[in-house]
Amino acid sequence: MSTGSWRNWLTRLRGEGRPRADLEIDDEVAFHLEMETKKYLGQGYDSDEAERRARIDFGAIQGHKEACRDERQGNQLDMLMQDVRYALRTLAKNWGFATAAILTLALGIGANTAIFSVIYGVLMRPLPYQNGARLVLLQPETTRGVAQTSIPELYDYREQVEALDELVEYHTMFFILLGRDEPERVQTGVVSDNFFDTLGVSPLHGRTFVEGEDALDSDAVLVLSHDYWQRAFGGDPEIVGQVFEMNTRPHTVVGVLPPIPQFPNAVDVYMPTSACPFRANAERNMAGNRGAFRNLLVFGRLAEASTPASADAEIASVAGRFRSDFPDDYAEVDYQAGVVDLKGELTKNARPMLLMLLATAGLVLLIACANVANLSLARVMRRDQEIAVRAALGASRGRLIRQLLTESTVLALLGGAFGLVFAYVGLDMLVDFAARYTPRAPQISIDGWVLAFTVAVSFGTGLAFGTLPALPGTRDLGSTMKHGGRTTAGGGLKLRRSLIVLQVALSFVMLVGAGLSLRSLSALQAVDPGFDTEQVLTARISVDFTAYNGMGEIHDVLQELSRVVGESPVVRDAALTDNPPYRGNNPNFREFIIDGRAVEETASPPQFDRTVITPGYFATLGVPVLAGRSFDHTDRGGSTPVAIINESLARQYWSEESPVGARISFDGETWISVVGVVGDTRLYGPQTPVMPELYQPFGQAGMPTWLVARTVGDPSAAVRAVKDAAHSLGSNAISDIQPLATLRADAVASPRLTASLLGVFALLALVVTLTGIAGVMAFAISQRTREMGLRLALGAQPRGILTMVVRQGMVQVTLGLALGIVGAVGFGRVLSGLLFEINSSDPLTFAVVVVTLASAALVAIIVPARRAVAVDPATALRSD
Amino acid sequence: MTKANVDLLQGTLDMLILKTLQLEAQHGWGISQRIQQMSKDVLQVNQGSLYPALHRLQRQGLIGSEWGTSDNNRRAKFYSLTAKGRTQLVAEKANWERLSTAVTDILQTV
């Protein structure tokens, strides 16, 4: 389109002036009339008569102009604009209907837009690494589960696998970074020098690592993650070149990363493998040890022309060669390896949850569509006469359908616009939610693709709910004209009743989904953790290993730290543990033997989870000592080895006698006396069952680096005091300081969010459905006012009529419920993986939802039905 | 009036318009006069069909238009055949001849 005709089009859009083409037709017609008049003048008529004849010959000028306009090219657009204007006028006149419809649609479309933006950002958007699509993750497996790769294995893979042109390593460590206000624990990614080049990540400032920087004894350098740079240095671009001390060496910052998702964990800084003392030592001393530093996660980039499948096959065959070349190293573990697609690995935790949410949001939209279709049907039926008149005046059937579809599309687009606002408002909550499942969450936003999705969904929605009412609306116009619109409009009503059945069924499914997740959530929250979560602070102590000589000194400093914190006036008790509650670690099972009991060959040996603690632990957490004693300061390295077990472990292996005084051993040489029994605790969150637990005192085992402190008042108020106490003892970092209550709430945060999302969606569905039912009932009754009047006049009891109307309404509700039960059983199965201690076909939930939905529907039916019997028969009979 | 009839008449008018434009460009009034003249006043062109037909043909790319000056120095819109229009005229003419022969044959059958 040229600029001129665009302007022309815009002019028309604004409804100002008249298009040039129209003016041209005027000129053309004027010329024709002039010529015609001239002709008649030539035949001897006077000028008035000649003009009159010319006009008669020409016919209805305006009609011809319209016809010309219809033939012209821009005409489709014209008609569309005309339809849109007409639609807007009609909607403005029926603002009640329009508001209800737009709001309903906005909720439906908004929910879908929000969920889609998450799905697009997490599952569909390409990885923000340049080579994102070509990246794979090496996945070794042994009989013990998913394993990691050792240094010699990595070197062998690098040498032997041709399908991958780069193989880079990654592992995380924490180190203490000195040079800022406080010693700081920094989570560190230790990587190959070509790690970022392989991923295809360019630095935001400075540079990433260069070749040779991972060679042993090269200078230590750091690259900061975007998040840490913002958090610790306020995004200062001058950071490049600054030097900090870590592991008693200077480390120079050489670059800053852009904001990218970090897999598998977000870390603060990255260093080349040469800068990690543990990794470097392992490399120096590995001497033929195949398992040297089996800590590495290996990323690979597919070589040109190779596929994930070919890389997988090659890795598998090299792994097979390891088994045959080094039978001693791999004899017992059945080592296997392959590759998985990195993008799939980044998002696999989020996928089922997101798809479930999308399905739910889709149901909401379906219900919204059904409802708006219902509302429009009612309007179309009321507009039968208007439509019949327009048809009689020459509007074609196609034109009328198009008009109705334009109306529904305009509604849907307006709904989509508002839906976008809703989606935008709710997005932050969803991003937090997604962050619990995938590192890609920060990439979620409402961008062009999401907008395109919203527009497409809006159009689809408009067509979906517009087609239904359009069909009966243009059918059988003759009879409508004849009856003066007084027919009972049977066909449309039948359609509307089927829509009600559908809505009730879908709402039922969603209410059951929400009910199940709510029941599951309350079951989770009701779980007794076995320890106090109020007024307890937990924190991670990061000892600067390189600053002390030997384990003895480290033990002393940890003990001292716990003592200093315990003496603070805001702290009642303090203790150390290696297994802090709710910190996402997993049970660590060990086998043991019981003194005096024969080990049966076939039976699996006793197993338990072990936690190493200091004496104040049980008092600090409020765990009751049920038998025997707690630890005290006489239980230390060198004294008689002692242990305390929990109730579950006691019940499992000492059901009849008291375990206090029994002796157990891991190796059959060192015997440990059980001195007490304590209450059960759920250290791993409410979802994990109570573990058989054995506690050992610090000094006789392990190294507890977590602090637990019972505070005098609000635990958050004690954070400063705990920090100061920790820092008074040299360059140790204290981090992750959090009240136990917060962590406990956090442990059920994702089920809580799931339940609230499902709950909100289900409530939406319920409200929308109820208004739909009430609307259909009110309409059906208004159509039958005369019939009701007649029945009343003939002596029917109002009660009887009320019962009849209600019974008719409840038929659809019952059908919907029946259909809904079938659907909900299916939906429950999808949900079952997310449920805690609740069966997916939990009869109580189903029963409550049936009763709730049925009674709410009954109210929605009775309210309009009462109006039906309140009519005065005389008025009703006279009504049209 | 059934749809088939309309189509036939419309198509015929379109062909006649193309024919009148075969030799030279002409304005709407001129076209109507030409058709009347050439048919020896048998065919009266309805203006209500003529102008929409002209716009339709133009949309189909069979004729073009341009504002010019008429014989008596008046501004008028002149229509002329495009290359596509010429091809179309040949085809329609052949079509018409086949059709009219066929109709004549039927009518002459005793």
Side-chain angles (χ1 to χ4, degrees):
Chain A
M1 226 185 255
S2 71
T3 0
S5 47
W6 266 118
R7 194 174 307 128
N8 199 346
W9 184 80
L10 285 172
T11 314
R12 250 178 301 167
L13 198 63
R14 285 196 303 266
E16 296 164 8
R18 296 178 56 218
R20 204 185 50 161
D22 277 7
L23 296 175
E24 284 195 0
I25 294 175
D26 286 352
D27 285 355
E28 208 174 0
V29 169
F31 173 73
H32 187 104
L33 289 174
E34 205 178 308
M35 296 301 284
E36 204 63 9
T37 311
K38 206 169 267 175
K39 193 177 86 185
Y40 282 115
L41 282 173
Q43 288 171 9
Y45 293 99
D46 67 38
S47 65
D48 282 358
E49 182 62 12
E51 210 165 297
R52 201 178 67 88
R53 279 179 178 259
R55 276 183 191 283
I56 289 172
D57 282 356
F58 198 87
I61 294 174
Q62 206 53 41
H64 298 345
K65 282 188 198 163
E66 294 279 338
C68 286
R69 195 179 306 143
D70 279 358
E71 292 289 357
R72 217 171 43 229
Q73 191 155 21
N75 152 269
Q76 294 295 322
L77 191 65
D78 260 1
M79 271 207 258
L80 179 64
M81 292 315 300
Q82 206 181 329
D83 282 351
V84 169
R85 268 200 294 267
Y86 185 80
L88 286 174
R89 268 206 308 275
T90 319
L91 292 178
K93 257 187 271 167
N94 295 277
W95 64 270
F97 159 77
T99 314
I102 290 171
L103 270 182
T104 311
L105 290 170
L107 293 173
I109 297 174
N112 278 276
T113 300
I115 302 291
F116 178 78
S117 66
V118 176
I119 289 200
Y120 179 73
V122 172
L123 300 186
M124 295 164 72
R125 195 193 294 264
L127 288 182
Y129 313 137
Q130 219 167 11
N131 306 320
R134 315 271 313 150
L135 295 176
V136 294
L137 197 65
L138 191 71
Q139 202 162 58
E141 259 174 59
T142 69
T143 42
R144 291 180 199 138
V146 174
Q148 249 108 44
T149 305
S150 69
I151 302 174
E153 283 166 358
L154 171 66
Y155 290 169
D156 286 349
Y157 282 129
R158 241 181 221 164
E159 202 167 298
Q160 297 175 31
V161 176
E162 280 169 8
L164 300 172
D165 59 8
E166 299 287 353
L167 277 153
V168 292
E169 63 168 275
Y170 169 99
H171 75 272
T172 57
M173 282 271 161
F174 81 82
F175 298 109
I176 310 290
L177 180 137
L178 302 174
R180 301 193 57 225
D181 301 342
E182 296 174 353
E184 188 171 31
R185 173 198 170 91
V186 287
Q187 200 63 40
T188 309
V190 182
V191 298
S192 309
D193 56 12
N194 58 343
F195 180 79
F196 294 108
D197 295 338
T198 302
L199 259 55
V201 173
S202 311
L204 190 68
H205 291 293
R207 61 173 177 87
T208 56
F209 304 129
V210 295
E211 206 183 326
E213 274 182 331
D214 66 1
L216 291 175
D217 304 319
S218 40
D219 288 337
V221 287
L222 295 175
V223 166
L224 307 186
S225 77
H226 190 266
D227 188 46
Y228 180 66
W229 175 58
Q230 290 289 339
R231 190 156 33 89
F233 302 103
D236 175 15
E238 300 296 309
I239 191 71
V240 174
Q242 286 193 38
V243 179
F244 297 94
E245 193 188 314
M246 279 167 100
N247 308 319
T248 62
R249 281 176 75 186
H251 286 61
T252 310
V253 174
V254 295
V256 177
L257 292 182
I260 48 164
Q262 301 182 67
F263 183 83
N265 303 106
V267 299
D268 301 321
V269 305
Y270 288 85
M271 60 170 56
T273 53
S274 55
C276 168
F278 306 100
R279 167 75 174 76
N281 276 340
E283 180 145 16
R284 276 191 195 97
N285 307 322
M286 65 187 175
N289 175 9
R290 294 291 298 167
F293 208 78
R294 184 177 291 288
N295 260 340
L296 305 179
L297 193 66
V298 177
F299 293 75
R301 191 176 65 198
L302 292 172
E304 219 152 297
S306 64
T307 62
S310 67
D312 190 68
E314 223 188 319
I315 292 278
S317 84
V318 174
R321 235 173 295 155
F322 289 174
R323 285 195 304 274
S324 53
D325 291 354
F326 310 97
D328 293 348
D329 293 298
Y330 299 100
E332 283 171 13
V333 293
D334 187 26
Y335 180 86
Q336 314 260 353
V339 300
V340 290
D341 163 51
L342 179 63
K343 188 175 161 194
E345 210 49 31
L346 268 162
T347 54
K348 74 172 181 200
N349 290 335
R351 188 179 297 264
M353 170 69 59
L354 291 181
L355 294 182
M356 192 269 295
L357 284 179
L358 186 67
T360 315
L363 287 183
V364 172
L365 186 60
L366 257 182
I367 294 176
C369 269
N371 213 40
V372 178
N374 237 331
L375 287 172
S376 330
L377 259 173
R379 283 189 59 241
V380 168
M381 284 192 256
R382 248 175 253 138
R383 283 165 73 190
D384 264 4
Q385 282 200 64
E386 173 208 327
I387 289 167
V389 167
R390 292 185 63 200
L393 287 178
S396 71
R397 185 187 150 89
R399 183 72 200 265
L400 282 176
I401 291 183
R402 194 165 49 191
Q403 171 60 45
L404 289 171
L405 282 180
T406 308
E407 236 175 83
S408 64
T409 310
V410 166
L411 266 183
L413 286 175
L414 286 172
F418 282 102
L420 212 53
V421 176
F422 289 158
Y424 189 77
V425 171
L427 195 64
D428 282 352
M429 189 184 80
L430 278 178
V431 171
D432 286 351
F433 179 63
R436 296 178 178 277
Y437 296 93
T438 172
R440 299 200 72 188
Q443 289 181 280
I444 298 166
S445 64
I446 293 181
D447 63 3
W449 286 106
V450 176
L451 283 179
F453 171 85
T454 309
V455 171
V457 165
S458 303
F459 268 112
T461 306
L463 286 182
F465 76 76
T467 312
L468 281 179
L471 295 179
T474 53
R475 202 177 48 196
D476 204 13
L477 294 165
S479 83
T480 308
M481 288 291 277
K482 265 183 259 150
H483 292 92
R486 236 186 282 164
T487 48
T488 46
L493 203 54
K494 227 176 268 164
L495 193 59
R496 298 193 59 185
R497 292 194 160 135
S498 337
L499 286 174
I500 290 293
V501 173
L502 179 75
Q503 280 184 295
V504 170
L506 293 176
S507 310
F508 185 86
V509 171
M510 301 198 44
L511 283 169
V512 164
L516 287 174
S517 42
L518 270 176
R519 294 252 297 140
S520 157
L521 175 66
S522 73
L524 269 178
Q525 281 170 331
V527 169
D528 176 13
F531 49 84
D532 282 352
T533 51
E534 300 305 314
Q535 300 203 354
V536 177
L537 209 56
T538 67
R540 184 207 294 265
I541 304 162
S542 308
V543 179
D544 190 353
F545 292 97
T546 45
Y548 299 97
N549 283 323
M551 293 313 262
E553 279 190 20
I554 294 173
H555 277 215
D556 291 347
V557 84
L558 279 169
Q559 295 274 24
E560 183 64 9
L561 201 145
S562 160
R563 195 187 57 76
V564 171
V565 170
E567 278 171 3
S568 155
V570 293
V571 174
R572 228 185 277 271
D573 289 300
L576 299 172
T577 172
D578 69 344
N579 190 12
Y582 302 137
R583 290 290 188 167
N585 37 358
N586 294 309
N588 181 12
F589 283 104
R590 310 189 59 157
E591 295 173 359
F592 67 105
I593 48 177
I594 302 170
D595 191 19
R597 291 195 200 181
V599 181
E600 289 169 44
E601 280 297 321
T602 48
S604 61
Q607 283 196 338
F608 58 74
D609 177 37
R610 185 186 70 172
T611 298
V612 176
I613 55 173
T614 56
Y617 179 82
F618 297 120
T620 306
L621 284 183
V623 179
V625 179
L626 302 174
R629 64 170 177 93
S630 181
F631 293 136
D632 57 37
H633 289 283
T634 60
D635 302 315
R636 65 177 82 180
S639 66
T640 318
V642 290
I644 291 173
I645 61 177
N646 72 352
E647 221 182 332
S648 289
L649 184 59
R651 207 178 312 117
Q652 214 171 334
Y653 298 105
W654 286 275
S655 48
E656 323 226 311
E657 71 247 67
S658 165
V660 177
R663 296 201 310 154
I664 61 163
S665 176
F666 303 119
D667 50 11
E669 288 168 15
T670 313
W671 290 92
I672 303 167
S673 301
V674 175
V675 296
V677 179
V678 294
D680 283 343
T681 54
R682 288 178 190 253
L683 297 173
Y684 304 102
Q687 275 153 328
T688 316
V690 171
M691 297 290 151
E693 194 81 36
L694 178 132
Y695 298 92
Q696 283 188 279
F698 183 31
Q700 296 183 356
M703 164 120 64
T705 56
W706 286 83
L707 181 79
V708 287
R710 170 172 292 271
T711 57
V712 172
D714 176 14
S716 323
V719 169
R720 189 69 254 170
V722 169
K723 266 191 173 176
D724 289 345
H727 291 147
S728 66
L729 295 169
S731 61
N732 304 296
I734 187 151
S735 60
D736 303 295
I737 308 183
Q738 287 205 290
L740 212 44
T742 311
L743 293 169
R744 187 187 181 185
D746 242 33
V748 292
S750 2
R752 189 185 304 122
L753 262 166
T754 311
S756 3
L757 280 176
L758 283 180
V760 167
F761 283 167
L763 275 183
L764 272 179
L766 181 64
V767 169
V768 168
T769 300
L770 291 181
T771 53
I773 293 176
V776 169
M777 283 309 293
F779 181 73
I781 288 163
S782 76
Q783 293 278 305
R784 292 169 62 188
T785 310
R786 267 157 55 91
E787 182 200 326
M788 302 291 172
L790 201 59
R791 282 172 187 268
L792 286 170
L794 290 176
Q797 288 300 308
R799 237 195 133 62
I801 290 190
L802 185 66
T803 316
M804 179 192 76
V805 171
V806 169
R807 196 185 300 132
Q808 284 175 352
M810 285 309 276
V811 168
Q812 288 104 48
V813 176
T814 315
L815 274 176
L817 286 178
L819 210 61
I821 289 176
V822 177
V825 168
F827 187 61
R829 222 165 278 156
V830 177
L831 210 61
S832 62
L834 306 168
L835 296 179
F836 175 74
E837 284 184 357
I838 299 289
N839 191 305
S840 71
S841 52
D842 177 46
L844 179 64
T845 309
F846 275 64
V848 168
V849 173
V850 167
V851 172
T852 312
L853 193 49
S855 32
L858 192 62
V859 173
I861 289 171
I862 285 181
V863 171
R866 286 174 68 91
R867 246 185 301 157
V869 293
V871 294
D872 170 21
T875 323
L877 282 173
R878 258 181 266 114
S879 86
D880 64 356
Chain B
M1 197 189 273
T2 63
K3 205 163 190 281
N5 272 337
V6 176
D7 284 347
L8 178 66
L9 290 174
Q10 215 171 50
T12 316
L13 176 61
D14 289 2
M15 181 177 69
L16 295 181
I17 293 171
L18 294 181
K19 174 68 188 169
T20 51
L21 294 176
Q22 195 180 11
L23 292 178
E24 55 174 353
Q26 189 57 272
H27 44 69
W29 185 77
I31 293 171
S32 74
Q33 296 306 307
R34 274 300 290 245
I35 292 176
Q36 212 170 326
Q37 228 172 49
M38 291 194 296
S39 70
K40 305 188 177 68
D41 287 343
V42 171
L43 294 178
Q44 294 274 347
V45 180
N46 177 1
Q47 322 304 342
S49 309
L50 174 68
Y51 284 98
L54 286 171
H55 282 90
R56 180 171 57 244
L57 289 169
Q58 198 170 359
R59 191 189 70 211
Q60 291 165 354
L62 300 176
I63 59 175
S65 73
E66 169 172 45
W67 287 90
T69 316
S70 73
D71 298 340
N72 48 1
N73 263 337
R74 290 274 292 119
R75 218 172 80 86
K77 194 176 182 182
F78 282 83
Y79 295 93
S80 57
L81 268 192
T82 62
K84 198 175 158 197
R86 272 177 214 288
T87 323
Q88 178 75 8
L89 177 59
V90 174
E92 286 202 6
K93 219 169 137 189
N95 230 342
W96 176 260
E97 274 156 15
R98 251 202 341 270
L99 180 71
S100 66
T101 318
V103 173
T104 316
D105 283 354
I106 291 168
L107 292 179
Q108 283 172 353
T109 310
V110 185

